Every structure is written in C-alpha cells, then in structure tokens.
C-alpha cells in the first residue's frame, strides 16, 4: 500500500505516518525501487496498534521503547510485558479519574435540567 492509501485507511495524515517512522514509533517501512514507501500488512498492524495506544493516551516515549524492545527480539519479552503492565496501570487510573469526572458532569447536568423543569412549571 502507498502512504496515501494507509493515510486514508487509518485516518492519519501522511506527515504523521512519516513522523512515526522517523522517531521509531513504527518500524522502518520498506520502499519500492522508486524509493516510495510500500506498506505491508505487518506495517499496518503496527500503525493500528500505535493508533489504538495513542488514542488511549499512552505516551509516545513508552511506545517507542516498546517498539525498540520488540525489534531486539524474544529476549525482551519480559521487559515488553512489564512496560505494557505499567501502562495498563496508568490507563486504569486515568479511566477511574474520567469516571469521577463523568459522574460530576452527570450531576451538574441533572441539576440544570431540574432548574429548567422548575422554571417551565412556573
């Protein structure tokens, strides 16, 4: 796939894809004879993974570290698992904070709805 096709498929700009590759967030993409990036299924799996993790708020630095460990091979499996566990703990804490915020928003909205209903009765 070309970079433009991948960009459309994952709704990520071409500049972002180039940036992700340049900083090591995704492994280097093979190029065809003309030097144009030629994304394979494995490349797309990395992009999908990174997009998912970034969408959940995982930091770029942690993901770069994960990719670097992955590229070093099976001797880094334990380190990768530890890194992912650490990020999961942080994400769980973030979700709990977001739940509290949602509860507070729901409370505030309910109060305003009650005020509106009371005004409409008058």
């Amino acid at each position: 796939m070309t970079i433009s096709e991948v960009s459309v498929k994952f709704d990520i700009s071409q500049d972002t894809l180039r940036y992700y590759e340049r900083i090591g967030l995704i492994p280097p993409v093979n190029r065809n004879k003309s030097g144009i990036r030629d994304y394979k299924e494995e490349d797309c799996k990395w992009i999908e993974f990174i997009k998912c993790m970034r969408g959940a708020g995982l930091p770029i630095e942690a993901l770069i570290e994960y990719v670097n460990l992955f590229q070093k091979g099976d001797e880094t499996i334990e380190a990768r698992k530890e890194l992912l566990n650490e990020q999961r703990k942080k994400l769980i804490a973030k979700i709990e904070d977001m739940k509290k915020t949602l509860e507070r928003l729901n409370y505030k909205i309910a109060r305003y709805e009650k005020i509106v209903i009371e005004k409409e009765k008058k």
Side-chain angles (χ1 to χ4, degrees), residues 30-84:
N30 289 325
R31 294 173 182 257
N32 65 20
K33 291 178 183 177
S34 302
I36 297 170
R37 287 175 178 83
D38 184 19
Y39 291 84
K40 303 295 183 203
E41 184 178 341
E42 189 65 25
D43 301 314
C44 291
K45 287 179 183 178
W46 276 108
I47 294 164
E48 186 175 31
F49 172 74
I50 295 301
K51 184 175 179 182
C52 176
M53 296 298 111
R54 289 294 297 139
L58 273 71
I60 286 177
E61 296 78 15
L63 294 169
I64 290 171
E65 182 180 351
Y66 178 83
V67 172
N68 287 334
L69 288 169
F70 182 87
Q71 290 176 325
K72 290 178 181 175
D74 286 349
E75 66 271 6
T76 66
I77 287 174
E78 195 60 40
R80 284 183 268 158
K81 180 183 162 195
E82 186 177 316
L83 187 147
L84 293 176

